[in-house]
């Protein structure tokens, strides 16, 4: 079945980007354009209303996962400072929505999902959406995807107890990583830049994500 993007969904998307994203301090024009282009409702569970698909809140997608609130999605992408030439790793594919946005913002994307059902569903929607520069893998994303490393940028879409060293090792010199770090209830967004002598850390806004599961996440 063909994915639909009507005048109404385009209107809701424009409204979402303006009111929930741009008016709330997101200024990166490439992020704003990408969010205008990608139909968020394509990545929501069947039966989701358009009001929920474009609402100012996270949205459950099953298996304990969510599509994050539009603002936090935009904020994380803005912190990556992508220019369009990067090779990006995403840890936690979820619905595939963030991967689709990354597909607009970067040259190519590897995304890893630990829940097989979510990985399969995201892979199907991304394929039907013609995101040929996004590859979905099922696996333990807390370990990254070493076979394709190094990456210019890494984004982790689940809360971790600490920055996994294995992910830092897969980041290229000059690359950036965005990851929520904290306890099981709340985290703070950590932005790391890798230099020849180590990692430079900036602690950004407070946030709340589902937990990062896997060998280097929460057990």
């Amino acid at each position: 079945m063909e994915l639909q993007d009507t005048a109404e969904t385009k209107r809701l998307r424009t409204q979402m980007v303006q009111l929930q994203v741009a008016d709330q301090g997101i200024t990166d024009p490439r992020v704003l354009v990408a969010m205008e282009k990608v139909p968020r409702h394509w990545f929501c569970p069947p039966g989701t209303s358009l009001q929920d698909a474009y609402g100012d809140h996270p949205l459950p997608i099953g298996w304990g996962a969510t599509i994050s609130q539009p603002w936090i999605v935009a904020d994380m992408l803005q912190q990556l400072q992508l220019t369009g030439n990067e090779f990006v790793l995403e840890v936690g594919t979820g619905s595939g929505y963030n991967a689709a946005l990354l597909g607009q913002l970067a040259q190519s994307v590897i995304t890893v999902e630990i829940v097989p059902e979510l990985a399969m569903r995201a892979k199907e929607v991304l394929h039907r959406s013609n995101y040929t520069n996004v590859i979905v893998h099922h696996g333990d994303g807390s370990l990254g995807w070493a076979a394709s490393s190094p990456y210019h940028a890494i984004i982790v879409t689940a809360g971790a107890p600490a920055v996994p060293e294995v992910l830092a090792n897969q980041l290229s010199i000059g690359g950036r990583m965005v990851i929520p770090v904290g306890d099981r209830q709340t985290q703070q967004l950590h932005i790391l830049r890798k230099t020849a002598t180590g990692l430079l850390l900036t602690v950004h806004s407070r946030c709340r994500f589902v937990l990062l599961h896997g060998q280097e996440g929460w057990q």
Side-chain angles (χ1 to χ4, degrees):
M1 185 175 66
E2 183 182 357
L3 297 173
Q4 300 292 319
D5 191 24
T6 65
E8 175 63 7
T9 55
K10 290 175 181 176
R11 182 190 71 79
L12 288 170
R13 193 156 65 250
T14 297
Q15 178 179 279
M16 176 194 77
V17 172
Q18 184 60 54
L19 298 180
Q20 301 175 36
V21 180
D23 286 356
Q24 302 306 314
I26 302 302
T27 59
D28 186 327
R30 300 188 70 248
V31 172
L32 297 175
V33 168
M35 294 189 79
E36 281 267 13
K37 285 184 177 179
V38 177
R40 195 168 188 258
H41 64 283
W42 287 359
F43 298 89
C44 296
T48 303
S49 70
L50 291 178
Q51 287 68 32
D52 277 338
Y54 290 99
D56 189 15
H57 50 75
L59 192 65
I61 57 173
W63 295 277
T66 64
I67 301 179
S68 294
Q69 178 187 20
W71 181 86
I72 191 64
V73 171
D75 187 37
M76 292 180 76
L77 293 174
Q78 179 168 264
Q79 299 306 323
L80 285 181
Q81 300 180 3
L82 299 173
T83 64
N85 299 314
E86 295 87 358
F87 183 31
V88 179
L89 171 67
E90 178 190 36
V91 175
T93 312
S95 69
Y97 174 63
N98 200 64
L101 292 169
L102 288 167
Q104 293 279 345
L105 294 167
Q107 182 172 317
S108 57
V109 181
I110 298 286
T111 179
V112 186
E113 173 56 53
I114 198 168
V115 179
E117 294 87 351
L118 288 175
M120 185 180 303
R121 190 164 73 186
K123 186 174 185 178
E124 178 184 352
V125 178
L126 287 162
H127 174 72
R128 292 170 62 197
S129 309
N130 294 315
Y131 283 98
T132 57
N133 64 335
V134 180
I135 299 174
V136 180
H137 292 294
H138 166 238
D140 183 351
S142 75
L143 300 175
W145 198 260
S148 300
S149 65
Y151 303 95
H152 300 112
I154 297 176
I155 182 169
V156 182
T157 61
V163 177
E165 184 178 354
V166 66
L167 291 183
N169 290 340
Q170 292 177 30
L171 196 61
S172 63
I173 301 297
R176 295 172 70 84
M177 184 193 308
V178 177
I179 177 172
V181 176
D183 58 31
R184 292 175 180 269
Q185 281 71 47
T186 59
Q187 303 90 33
Q188 286 185 292
L189 209 58
H190 283 40
I191 299 116
L192 302 108
R193 184 168 66 86
K194 190 170 186 177
T195 72
T197 56
L199 294 171
L200 299 178
L201 169 65
T202 301
V203 178
H204 190 47
S205 56
R206 294 183 65 84
C207 51
R208 184 172 185 176
F209 279 79
V210 298
L211 299 181
L212 176 66
H213 294 292
Q215 186 174 320
E216 297 298 319
W218 294 97
Q219 299 302 312

